[in-house]
Amino acid sequence: MEADLLRRAARLLGDARRVVVLTGAGVSAESGVPTFRDALTGLWARFDAQRLATAEAFHADPDLVWGWYEWRRARVARAEPNPGHRAIAAIQTRVLDCTVITQNVDDLHERAGTRAPIHLHGSLFTPRCTAVPAHPATFGDTSGGPGQPHEGSRVPPPRCASCTALVRPGVVWFGEPLPETALTAAVEAAVACDLLLTVGTAGVVYPAAEIPQVAARSGATVIQVNPQPTPLDPVCAINLRGTAAQVLPALVAAAWGETDES
Ligand code: BV8
């Protein structure tokens, strides 16, 4: 990645008063959490994530889908935030008005110290029952913990303690609306910001992929960090071709001097 591009991006970031950081699965890749693009492995190798991450798949085979999410939750529990997550938390300490918006369902931003990230697609850690309105639910004793076999297994979802309906993952599936409060807060932050940094997203899932475009249309500078080109390239003033754990600490150091990045 060109040093001059990094310097230009760092100056823009250092001068920005209102910053939004939008992240996708790529920011967790260097923590060992597979992205949606990465082929599924083990029990799910023959499935397409986009077909498995649906209410239809869950109702057709609750044990298969709940087992997948419990396997992913166990992987996240074993993972650590990477220098990319920590650099994003560092940006939030240096820019008074900084909103982090994530498409990810892991808790690595929180564990890196990011305050109140907006989860557009929910979280692996907030199961709820399938009744409407949903009751909050617990994981019960399903084997989402370290005991699960490495390649994962089918796991029967728990039943809601309040109404005995099936418990489901607290994520937004394809075909489901995003949480209104999260989406509204994300769009408002994108409209108001001077600079939006989009990191590790393929920019193909809507309406999340609209957020950088809303920022650009509202006059913000958009900077992208991704080792690959994405459909977001054209709205970005600068495209930093590199990984989150490599580029973000360098970007923060160039903008504000050495970080406390260990
Ligand atoms: C909705 C939670 C309406 C679950 C997720 C046509 C047909 C059918 C549907 C649609 C259609 N067109 C549009 C739609 C809508 C659909 C959609 O966008 N489909 C796409 C595929 C075309 N969207 C929806 O269904 C949304 N809901 O529209 O509802 C509605 C309204 C009212 C009433 C009813 C309905 C819901 C979308 C949310 C789905 N849930 N996640 C779970 O996690 O299991 S999406 C899931 O996939 C992730 O959250 C994420 O958002 C997405 C994957 O995208 P990325 O995060 O970008 O990750 P990806 O793996 O794709 O890419 C990784 C990137 O990182 C790559 O670019 C790679 O180069 C880069 N990278 C890799 N390593 C690194 C790196 N970058 C930096 N550093 C590295 N080390």
Side-chain angles (χ1 to χ4, degrees), residues 24-26 29-30 35-37 50 53 68-69 72 103-105 121 171-178 200-207 226-228 230 242-244:
E30 286 154 291
T35 70
F36 241 62
R37 288 303 95 200
Q50 276 170 20
W68 182 44
Y69 282 92
R72 289 170 63 186
Q103 300 171 80
N104 300 339
V105 293
H121 296 156
V171 301
V172 178
W173 278 325
F174 286 99
E176 292 186 325
L178 274 58
T201 178
V204 295
V205 173
Y206 281 81
N226 195 317
Q228 305 294 331
T230 75
T243 72

Side-chain angles (χ1 to χ4, degrees), residues 114-213:
T114 287
R115 272 178 292 99
I118 297 174
H119 280 271
L120 290 178
H121 296 156
S123 162
L124 289 169
F125 300 89
T126 55
R128 63 175 188 269
C129 86
T130 46
V132 178
H135 302 108
T138 62
F139 288 108
D141 60 355
T142 64
S143 53
Q148 215 194 69
H150 186 73
E151 72 288 351
S153 61
R154 300 164 66 89
V155 179
R159 290 273 171 181
C160 173
S162 314
C163 70
T164 75
L166 278 181
V167 170
R168 57 164 284 177
V171 301
V172 178
W173 278 325
F174 286 99
E176 292 186 325
L178 274 58
E180 201 173 323
T181 44
L183 185 56
T184 305
V187 169
E188 283 173 359
V191 167
C193 74
D194 320 318
L195 185 141
L196 182 140
L197 184 61
T198 170
V199 183
T201 178
V204 295
V205 173
Y206 281 81
E210 195 69 42
I211 298 290
Q213 302 170 55

Side-chain angles (χ1 to χ4, degrees), residues 21 23 30 52 68 105 205 217 256-257:
V21 183
T23 66
E30 286 154 291
L52 216 48
W68 182 44
V105 293
V205 173
R217 281 200 300 269
W256 294 289

